[in-house]
Amino acid sequence: MAADASPDQRLPLKGAQTARTTGELRQPWMSCREVVQLVGLALLFCFLLLLGGLLLAATVPTEPEYSIAITGAEGLDPARDLRSFDRRPRLSPVFNLTVHIELLDDSYYRACIGGHQAKIAVSYGGALLAEAEGPLLPELCVGPRQGRGANITARGVDVAVPRFVRDRLAAELERSDAAFDVVVMAPRYDRQVLACKAMIGAGLRACDFQYYY
C-alpha cells in the first residue's frame, strides 16, 4: 500500500485549486463615464435632427389660401323651381359668389387667381348648374400678408337637371345642408384648379388647390 503524500506535496495542489476558484474580479464592459458620453451623443443627435426639421419647415413656402362663399342663390326654390318638373323641366339658377385669396407670410412675392382666361363652374350631384368666365372673373392678386376678395355672379340658362337630382337638392335646401361643388380654372397661372365645397350663406370655405394638364 502506497504511503500517503506528505504535507509538502499537497500544498501546491491546494494552492492551484484556490487560484482557479477565486480568480480576478471581472471589470464592467462600459464605465460610467462612457455611458454618460454615449447619452450625451444621443441627445446631441436628437437636437440636431429637430433643428434640421425646423429649418426645413421654415424654408418650405406656404401656399396661398383660396376660399369661396356662396352668398346667395336664385332660381332654386324647392317648390317653385325644383319640384315643378312637369311645368318647368329646366333650371336657370343664379349664384352670387365671393372668391378670396390670401398670402399668410412672405413665402411668395405675389399670388393671383382669375383673369380673362379663368372660368368658374357651380354644380350639384354631378349636374352643372351655372358658369361664369372671361370678364366676369376679375383678376385677384395679393402680396405678402395680404388678402383680397371679389364678388362674382354665375348663371345657368335652361340647364337640364335629372329629376332625382332636383328632388334631392330640394330636400337638402329645405334642411339648409345642400353643398355645391365650385370649381375655378385659371389656365393663365400655371393651369390652376380650385375645387371647393360651399353652402348657401355658410361663409367662406377653403378650396383644394391643384394643377391640371
Side-chain angles (χ1 to χ4, degrees):
M1 184 173 183
D4 294 337
S6 63
D8 294 337
Q9 292 176 329
R10 291 195 297 267
L11 287 176
L13 180 60
K14 184 177 180 181
Q17 185 177 4
T18 304
R20 286 198 301 269
T21 56
T22 57
E24 296 182 356
L25 294 176
R26 293 185 178 181
Q27 296 295 329
W29 70 278
M30 183 179 291
S31 65
C32 293
R33 181 178 181 182
E34 291 172 334
V35 171
V36 171
Q37 291 176 344
L38 183 61
V39 172
L41 290 175
L43 292 176
L44 179 61
F45 175 78
C46 293
F47 172 76
L48 293 177
L49 190 64
L50 178 61
L51 181 61
L54 293 176
L55 291 176
L56 180 62
T59 56
V60 174
T62 302
E63 293 291 338
E65 286 194 355
Y66 302 92
S67 54
I68 283 182
I70 302 178
T71 57
E74 299 176 4
L76 293 176
D77 183 85
R80 184 178 64 251
D81 301 309
L82 298 177
R83 292 199 174 100
S84 59
F85 189 84
D86 296 333
R87 293 184 295 104
R88 191 173 300 181
R90 293 178 178 268
L91 300 176
S92 296
V94 178
F95 290 88
N96 298 319
L97 309 170
T98 297
V99 179
H100 190 267
I101 179 175
E102 185 174 3
L103 276 176
L104 300 179
D105 55 21
D106 302 327
S107 298
Y108 288 86
Y109 171 73
R110 191 167 181 253
C112 299
I113 191 65
H116 68 279
Q117 292 182 339
K119 180 179 180 180
I120 189 168
V122 183
S123 60
Y124 173 85
L128 179 64
L129 298 178
E131 292 181 303
E133 58 184 330
L136 298 178
L137 273 76
E139 183 180 56
L140 289 176
C141 294
V142 294
R145 306 182 187 279
Q146 291 182 349
R148 186 182 175 193
N151 296 323
I152 299 170
T153 300
R155 300 177 181 273
V157 179
D158 290 335
V159 180
V161 180
R163 187 163 191 167
F164 74 94
V165 175
R166 294 164 63 122
D167 290 341
R168 189 178 70 180
L169 177 57
E172 292 186 357
L173 285 173
E174 289 174 340
R175 300 193 304 265
S176 300
D177 60 359
F180 297 87
D181 297 303
V182 184
V183 175
V184 180
M185 293 173 285
R188 181 177 179 182
Y189 298 103
D190 299 324
R191 302 183 71 84
Q192 300 169 351
V193 173
L194 304 179
C196 322
K197 281 278 190 182
M199 302 173 66
I200 300 174
L204 290 171
R205 295 296 180 93
C207 302
D208 293 329
F209 174 82
Q210 54 186 305
Y211 294 96
Y212 72 97
Y213 302 96

